Amino acid sequence: TGSAYGKDRVFLSSEDADVRQAAIERIKGHILTASDYPHAVVIIGLIKGKVSDCESRESYFANLIPALRECAEEAGKYQVYLGLEVINRYESDVINTVKEGLEFGSPWLQLHLDTYHMNIEESDIKKSIQSAKGKICHVHVADNDRWFVGHGHYDFAETLGALKEIGYTGAVSVESFGFPDMISS
């Protein structure tokens, strides 16, 4: 869903009702596609928009919350999770920490965590993961430099241990800029 915001400029918090509806319809289309696959997740990342796209923080949330609610209702019909991505402050000006992400949610709207973003924003990654027990539907892993696991200095043992401790059984997928080869590894 990232290109919806970056390329197509449709997002769930838009003050323009047509743009907002286009984003909702885009998410509904992804939900329908995902419904053919068990355990599918539709990521709600930058398609949520930014506060800076709106006149005020209040306006942002006044638009975002009903749009998320509509998308979550649709997701529930198809039993597809929506993963609200917690994104670092350099890429998004809202919902930057697990604590902020936990302010949202429904049975079908849960958190999508990403180690790259968590490394920037979370003061205690293990405690952040523990606080989200039962509310995480997807996890991306990349090292602190956004390269493959093991390229930098991120503590994956702590993160994977915390996920195991809280009983997380969903996917842990790699989202990195580079992959190991004979030169970069």
Side-chain angles (χ1 to χ4, degrees):
T1 61
S3 65
Y5 177 81
K7 182 180 173 191
D8 301 332
R9 294 300 293 164
V10 298
F11 51 101
L12 298 170
S13 58
S14 176
E15 292 174 329
D16 180 325
D18 292 336
V19 170
R20 194 167 54 250
Q21 192 59 44
I24 291 168
E25 294 306 317
R26 179 83 54 102
I27 294 298
K28 287 180 177 181
H30 288 307
I31 290 167
L32 185 59
T33 299
S35 70
D36 288 338
Y37 303 93
H39 312 291
V41 175
V42 174
I43 305 300
I44 307 292
L46 289 177
I47 196 169
K48 70 183 180 292
K50 298 179 182 180
V51 171
S52 58
D53 294 320
C54 298
E55 286 186 22
S56 67
R57 190 169 182 83
E58 293 76 19
S59 175
Y60 174 86
F61 286 110
N63 294 323
L64 177 67
I65 291 171
L68 283 175
R69 189 175 297 123
E70 183 175 341
C71 291
E73 287 173 13
E74 187 76 3
K77 291 176 189 175
Y78 292 95
Q79 299 186 344
V80 170
Y81 286 102
L82 300 179
L84 183 62
E85 187 171 15
V86 178
I87 302 174
N88 76 74
R89 72 187 93 165
Y90 303 111
E91 296 177 47
S92 178
D93 59 4
V94 67
I95 312 173
N96 307 119
T97 65
V98 169
K99 182 179 179 183
E100 293 168 351
L102 287 170
E103 293 176 15
F104 302 86
S106 75
W108 298 105
L109 176 63
Q110 296 191 359
L111 295 183
H112 162 58
L113 303 183
D114 185 312
T115 59
Y116 173 75
H117 300 299
M118 292 177 74
N119 181 65
I120 295 169
E121 296 296 342
E122 304 296 339
S123 60
D124 188 323
I125 292 170
K126 182 178 181 178
K127 284 184 182 176
S128 294
I129 292 169
Q130 291 169 330
S131 74
K133 181 179 181 176
K135 297 176 181 160
I136 303 169
C137 65
H138 193 70
V139 177
H140 277 165
V141 293
D143 222 315
N144 65 288
D145 56 3
R146 215 172 201 160
W147 278 68
F148 57 85
V149 173
H151 188 264
H153 63 74
Y154 188 88
D155 187 351
F156 289 98
E158 176 188 61
T159 295
L160 296 175
L163 289 168
K164 184 176 181 180
E165 178 185 315
I166 66 167
Y168 176 73
T169 59
V172 175
S173 63
V174 175
E175 182 192 52
S176 67
F177 286 156
F179 294 93
D181 58 32
M182 292 175 49
I183 298 169
S184 63
S185 56

